[in-house]
Every structure is written in structure tokens, then in C-alpha cells.
Amino acid sequence: MHPTISVAVLLTVLQAAHCQKIKELSACLLGQNLRVDCRYENKTANPLTYEFSMFKDNRKRVIQTTLNVPENSLKARSNVTLSKDLLCLQLFDFTTADEGTYICELKITGDYTGNQIRNITVIKDKLEKCAGVSLLIQNTSWLLLLLLSLPLLQAVDFVSL
Ligand SMILES: *[C@@H]1O[C@H](CO)[C@@H](O)[C@H](O)[C@H]1NC(C)=O
Ligand SMILES: *[C@@H]1O[C@H](CO)[C@@H](O)[C@H](O)[C@H]1NC(C)=O
Ligand SMILES: *[C@@H]1O[C@H](CO)[C@@H](O)[C@H](O)[C@H]1NC(C)=O
Ligand SMILES: *[C@@H]1O[C@H](CO)[C@@H](O)[C@H](O)[C@H]1NC(C)=O
């Protein structure tokens, strides 16, 4: 691999690893359902506690949680899938009435100090469909990285000529 590419890749990896423990919070539409993906850094096998909630009209409504008591009407319409470094909330039959700020909060005792919290504003008309979205983003960032490193590559080659 060309040294410049290695450096660029290394920098990207370092930046991603250096960020907050919740690495990414994203939302998309899966059929009629809202899916909220909360990606976090999994360092150990320590137990994870989490809470998905939404904020609307100055009121916080808890959807799914291991920390507090959820609101039954929301809990009944949702589920959470837990996998390594990803918490995935699905809210069934999502409508504009469910628009608001969605919050992912998590705590892994021993791994981080304090709770990690991120939020995302969800508006139905602006949601992407789920399938392929994350792939597209990944492909785009690789493309971007390549494009960004091209001038550098040329500069390096020019100097070494
Ligand atoms: C984190 O990953 C380890 C394996 O690397 C796994 O045993 C553990 O269950 C994971 N933790 C969570 C909260 O998913
Ligand atoms: C959550 O609901 C979806 C849609 O009904 C289903 O495909 C998925 O298996 C459910 N996940 C869990 C963990 O129950
Ligand atoms: C969402 O996050 C931003 C930035 O961290 C914060 O200023 C804002 O108060 C949060 N909103 C809610 C509803 O928690
Ligand atoms: C992203 O790249 C993979 C393989 O490199 C490809 O299979 C996939 O179709 C691409 N996705 C999009 C949305 O272009």
C-alpha cells in the first residue's frame, strides 16, 4: 500500500476511535417502522444498560429501557435488538405524530465514566429508507478518502520523481 494511503487510513481510524463512546446515532425507515441505530464502542464484556427515549413538546417519553420505567404505549409498539457494538430500536407503525428528538443513552459499568448520550432529530419526510443506506455512506466515505488523498499522492510522486 502506498504510504500516503496508509497514513490517510490510519488518521481516519484514529479519529473514529477517538470520538465519543456512542460512535453514531442514525435513523431510517424500514417499511412502516422507524429504526434507530445506536452504535457504540464495545471494549469489554461488561453488562450494558441503555435507554431509548424521545423528546417532543418539552416532554421526554421513554420508549425502551433497562434504566427506568418506559411508557407502556411506546414500549408496546417497539423492540430493541442488541448485538455487539449496536443497539437497534424499532418503533412500529411510525407516523408524523412520532416525530421528535430521539435519544440513545447507555452505560457500561467499568468501561466509561458516566452515561453516554446522543440524540437525533427525526422527521418522517426526511428519513431515508434503511436498506443500503449505511453501505452507501461507507462507499462514499471511501471514495471521498481516495479523492482527498489523490492530490497528496500526486504531490508525493512529483517530489520523488
Ligand atoms: C462486547 O463484545 C464481547 C466480545 O468481544 C461480548 O462478549 C460482549 O457480550 C459484548 N458486549 C455487549 C454489551 O454486547
Ligand atoms: C423486532 O421486531 C421486528 C419486526 O417485527 C422483528 O423482525 C425482530 O425480530 C424483532 N426483534 C426482536 C429482538 O424481538
Ligand atoms: C441533543 O444534543 C444536543 C448536543 O449534544 C444538546 O444540546 C440538546 O440539548 C439535546 N437535545 C435533547 C432533546 O436532549
Ligand atoms: C458499496 O460497495 C459494495 C462493495 O464494495 C457493493 O456491493 C455495494 O453495492 C455498494 N453499495 C452502494 C450503495 O453503492
Side-chain angles (χ1 to χ4, degrees), residues 33 78-82 90 92:
N33 304 342
S78 61
N79 74 15
V80 169
T81 313
L82 181 61
Q90 275 198 58
F92 311 130

Side-chain angles (χ1 to χ4, degrees), residues 40 42-48 82-85 108:
Y40 63 95
N42 173 342
K43 290 197 284 197
T44 63
N46 288 340
L48 168 82
L82 181 61
S83 55
K84 183 174 150 52
D85 66 34
I108 304 179

Side-chain angles (χ1 to χ4, degrees), residues 28-136:
C28 59
L29 260 189
L30 191 65
Q32 301 297 307
N33 304 342
L34 170 71
R35 199 178 95 191
V36 180
D37 287 352
C38 186
R39 287 183 192 281
Y40 63 95
E41 193 183 320
N42 173 342
K43 290 197 284 197
T44 63
N46 288 340
L48 168 82
T49 52
Y50 63 86
E51 178 170 302
F52 277 108
S53 56
M54 65 104 94
F55 196 83
K56 186 187 167 79
D57 302 330
N58 283 319
R59 199 162 76 88
K60 183 176 157 184
R61 306 177 64 195
V62 177
I63 307 170
Q64 288 271 349
T65 181
T66 58
L67 299 168
N68 281 312
V69 182
E71 220 168 278
N72 281 329
S73 60
L74 284 173
K75 186 178 185 206
R77 285 176 52 209
S78 61
N79 74 15
V80 169
T81 313
L82 181 61
S83 55
K84 183 174 150 52
D85 66 34
L86 175 68
L87 272 171
C88 180
L89 171 80
Q90 275 198 58
L91 183 66
F92 311 130
D93 302 319
F94 178 76
T95 67
T96 49
D98 302 311
E99 288 176 351
T101 302
Y102 282 72
I103 303 163
C104 172
E105 181 170 355
L106 59 85
K107 185 174 181 175
I108 304 179
T109 313
D111 281 20
Y112 327 133
T113 48
N115 291 12
Q116 298 296 318
I117 187 160
R118 279 284 279 274
N119 68 45
I120 184 172
T121 302
V122 172
I123 294 169
K124 194 167 189 230
D125 282 346
K126 295 196 175 157
L127 280 177
E128 306 265 6
K129 294 236 183 333
C130 288
V133 168
S134 65
L135 265 183
L136 183 70

